[in-house]
Amino acid sequence: MAVRVAAADVECARALALELVPGGLEERAAGGEIELGLYVDEGDVGRIRESFPAARVERVEPGWEDAWRAFHRPVRVGGIWIGPPWDHLPDGEPAVVIDPGRAFGTGAHATTRLCVELLAIAPRGSLLDVGCGSGVLAIAGARLGYGPLLAVDDDPVAVEVTRANAESNGVVVETRVIDALSGPLPRVDVAVANILLGPVEHVLSRVDAGYVITSGYLAGERPAAPGWTWVEGREVDGWAADLLVRAGGRDARGGCG
């Protein structure tokens, strides 16, 4: 079943889709929209259509389970290999193993890759992953030398999945169920928020950090960020990410904010 939504609505649609199909989903750009691909038994089509009445349905051949796995391919970004547990892990290379499932974030999505790229160039220190999903950014931060690590999400399932992924990767990540738009956020050196543009702007207004990496919005967009100075931005596959430093702070990479 294929569900097309506007990019601004993808987070809510993704969360609903994962509730309906906990085994995972595909996600791909489709012009100015995002298409979510759900693999379900024929008997579940009506149930899914109650939530996504415009979903397109196509029959798939036997063996779709392997095709679904083939969709999740490893990536190399920021000097780290990020991939699923059924793929071959490289020898002698920093790796993050993420099992696609009940929480979004496998490392292959453009916004995740952009955040890892910016984590690789930002000054090291304590790290807060806001809206952690599967925990891939917190775990990648550990591989890049950040610590201590805290991952928060308002979805208890995401926090549970992050905790499990961190443990399977041998990484210590403190996890909390927190709504980052209203709940308490600790003081950290670096925060990363791969969420939607509106929530990113709200998080920027209340997070206590020296640097923030933001993503989850389209290329050409940039969050309104009073009190922050833009340092660097990157774009790929129609998505964008930015590195910001607290206004008046010195960019530890060698420049001034």
Side-chain angles (χ1 to χ4, degrees), residues 97-98 134-135 139 143 159-173 175:
V97 178
I98 298 292
S134 67
I139 299 168
R143 296 288 187 256
V159 171
E160 176 188 339
V161 170
T162 292
R163 189 181 301 120
N165 282 331
E167 182 177 351
S168 66
N169 280 273
V171 171
V172 177
V173 178
T175 56

Side-chain angles (χ1 to χ4, degrees), residues 1-2 38-40 56-60:
M1 300 188 71
L38 315 177
Y39 290 95
V40 301
R56 187 180 77 254
V57 178
E58 296 179 9
R59 290 183 177 273
V60 294

Side-chain angles (χ1 to χ4, degrees), residues 6-237:
D9 300 326
V10 69
E11 185 170 341
C12 292
R14 183 193 300 136
L16 177 56
L18 285 170
E19 288 183 11
L20 297 169
V21 188
L25 53 85
E26 297 178 4
E27 181 172 324
R28 50 191 170 267
E33 298 179 310
I34 304 298
E35 185 173 87
L36 306 179
L38 315 177
Y39 290 95
V40 301
D41 291 331
E42 189 170 3
D44 290 327
V45 169
R47 178 176 62 88
I48 306 299
R49 273 226 162 108
E50 291 177 4
S51 298
F52 297 109
R56 187 180 77 254
V57 178
E58 296 179 9
R59 290 183 177 273
V60 294
E61 297 299 323
W64 65 265
E65 298 92 337
D66 292 332
W68 180 79
R69 284 192 170 196
F71 173 81
H72 294 284
R73 299 181 181 278
V75 297
R76 282 178 170 83
V77 58
I80 303 172
W81 181 96
I82 304 175
W86 55 79
D87 218 295
H88 177 70
L89 271 67
D91 295 328
E93 187 175 352
V96 174
V97 178
I98 298 292
D99 191 356
R102 293 181 298 159
F104 176 74
T106 63
H109 194 271
T111 59
T112 308
R113 302 198 315 266
L114 289 168
C115 286
V116 175
E117 287 182 7
L118 292 175
L119 280 169
I121 65 171
R124 304 305 190 260
S126 55
L127 179 66
L128 171 64
D129 183 358
V130 178
C132 55
S134 67
V136 60
L137 291 177
I139 299 168
R143 296 288 187 256
L144 290 168
Y146 287 87
L149 307 163
L150 173 61
V152 303
D153 202 297
D154 62 358
D155 182 356
V157 172
V159 171
E160 176 188 339
V161 170
T162 292
R163 189 181 301 120
N165 282 331
E167 182 177 351
S168 66
N169 280 273
V171 171
V172 177
V173 178
E174 182 183 353
T175 56
R176 301 179 194 170
V177 178
I178 293 177
D179 183 348
L181 303 185
S182 59
L185 298 176
R187 184 176 185 178
V188 292
D189 296 310
V190 181
V192 56
N194 183 14
I195 48 183
L196 296 174
L197 183 63
V200 159
E201 293 176 338
H202 197 84
V203 168
L204 285 171
S205 71
R206 60 193 313 271
V207 71
D208 188 359
Y211 288 83
V212 174
I213 294 167
T214 62
S215 192
Y217 41 87
L218 299 176
E221 296 180 329
R222 185 181 294 175
W228 296 90
T229 300
W230 184 82
V231 176
E232 183 171 339
R234 300 191 179 188
E235 297 181 355
V236 68
D237 295 340

